[in-house]
């Protein structure tokens, strides 16, 4: 065991304040250095002083109750500080992963009108059953999930027959940030001859569709 590891082992076993630990270790280091200057080997010096457990126990026996209490308080405070740091890091990670929403356009990444027009174009493709045109408006990973069959099942689940498109209803656009990625979420209603449908569409920063829901 080298001198640094030997002294650190003693330091960890001392039951006193940080200031007292520093004082004890400083004195031990001075004693070791003095013996080394006289030509003694480190191994012989450390054997003469004793094992870290024995040395720490000897010092602990002479430490006052007041300093022991101070040491316990410092250890407790250090533990609390570590917990606070861990919680702060966990909160930061959670903040990073949880989605955060705001008004569209706050980040200058989206135009509300452009998002709405893109949403209407997507819905028009769905109404016309023009899947090829819809794929051109979708991101590749979304197209792998939002297949023609999935779209048809979603439409059938909503209603067997929508009827002819009549008019657009209200549209609301929100910008959502998650893991550093910005997306635009638009909710828009459409009236048909036989039903009113509310669509929720998600677009990436290039206004490519990444998600589509209807109810």
């Amino acid at each position: 065991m080298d001198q640094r590891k030997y002294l650190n082992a003693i330091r960890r076993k001392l039951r006193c304040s940080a200031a007292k630990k520093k004082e004890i270790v400083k004195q031990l280091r001075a004693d070791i250095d003095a013996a080394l200057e006289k030509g003694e080997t480190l191994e012989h010096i450390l054997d003469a002083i004793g094992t870290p457990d024995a040395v720490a126990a000897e010092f602990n026996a002479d430490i006052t109750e007041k300093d022991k209490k101070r040491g316990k308080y410092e250890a407790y405070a250090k533990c609390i500080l570590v917990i606070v740091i861990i919680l702060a890091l966990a909160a930061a990670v959670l903040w990073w992963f949880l989605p955060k929403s705001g008004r569209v356009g706050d980040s200058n990444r989206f135009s509300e009108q452009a998002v709405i027009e893109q949403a209407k174009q997507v819905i028009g493709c769905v109404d016309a059953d023009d899947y090829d045109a819809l794929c051109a408006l979708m991101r590749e990973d979304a197209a792998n999930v939002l297949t023609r069959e999935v779209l048809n099942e979603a439409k059938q689940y909503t209603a067997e027959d929508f009827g002819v498109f009549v008019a657009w209803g209200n549209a609301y656009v929100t910008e959502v940030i998650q893991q550093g990625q910005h997306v635009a979420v638009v909710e828009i209603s459409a009236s048909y001859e036989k039903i009113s449908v509310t669509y929720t569409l998600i677009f990436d920063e290039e206004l490519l569709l990444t998600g589509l829901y209807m109810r």
Side-chain angles (χ1 to χ4, degrees):
M1 181 181 295
D2 61 29
Q3 181 177 336
R4 181 180 60 84
K5 291 181 179 179
Y6 177 80
L7 293 175
N8 283 340
I10 294 174
R11 185 199 303 270
R12 287 193 297 269
K13 298 177 184 300
L14 293 173
R15 300 294 178 257
C16 55
S17 65
K20 186 66 174 179
K21 288 181 181 180
K22 184 177 180 180
E23 178 186 330
I24 292 172
V25 170
K26 182 179 179 181
Q27 182 58 53
L28 286 171
R29 183 180 290 111
D31 292 342
I32 293 172
D33 290 342
L36 287 171
E37 289 179 2
K38 293 179 181 179
E40 296 184 44
T41 65
L42 180 62
E43 182 179 3
H44 180 267
I45 296 169
L46 300 186
D47 285 342
I49 296 175
T51 65
D53 286 342
V55 175
E58 185 177 347
F59 278 109
N60 286 334
D62 294 332
I63 291 172
T64 64
E65 286 299 319
K66 181 179 180 180
D67 207 46
K68 286 182 180 180
K69 289 181 180 179
R70 186 180 295 118
K72 289 181 180 179
Y73 173 79
E74 288 178 355
Y76 176 76
K78 184 177 180 180
C79 181
I80 293 297
L81 178 60
V82 170
I83 292 173
V84 169
I85 291 174
I86 292 173
L87 290 176
L89 289 173
V93 171
L94 186 62
W95 182 89
W96 172 257
F97 281 101
L98 286 178
K100 293 162 282 294
S101 61
R103 293 186 307 171
V104 69
D106 281 353
S107 66
N108 297 319
R109 283 176 165 80
F110 299 102
S111 160
E112 183 175 20
Q113 190 57 41
V115 173
I116 293 174
E117 289 303 320
Q118 188 78 341
K120 289 180 178 180
Q121 189 174 349
V122 167
I123 295 169
C125 292
V126 174
D127 289 344
D129 197 24
D130 189 348
Y131 189 72
D132 291 336
L134 178 61
C135 280
L137 302 175
M138 279 196 286
R139 204 168 66 186
E140 184 177 354
D141 57 344
N144 292 334
V145 176
L146 200 60
T147 63
R148 185 190 299 273
E149 292 73 21
V150 169
L151 268 176
N152 287 335
E153 287 179 7
K155 291 173 69 175
Q156 288 293 321
Y157 181 81
T158 305
E160 291 186 3
D161 184 12
F162 287 13
V164 179
F165 173 79
V166 177
W168 296 110
N170 294 327
Y172 304 95
V173 185
T174 303
E175 183 174 343
V176 177
I177 307 169
Q178 185 171 24
Q179 299 182 41
Q181 300 296 316
H182 293 249
V183 298
V185 181
V186 54
E187 185 173 279
I188 183 170
S189 59
S191 297
Y192 297 88
E193 186 180 14
K194 298 181 180 181
I195 191 176
S196 290
V197 180
T198 298
Y199 294 88
T200 301
L201 305 95
I202 304 174
F203 295 99
D204 65 11
E205 292 185 44
E206 296 179 359
L207 286 187
L208 291 175
L209 184 71
T210 62
L212 170 64
Y213 313 90
M214 61 182 75
R215 66 178 190 276

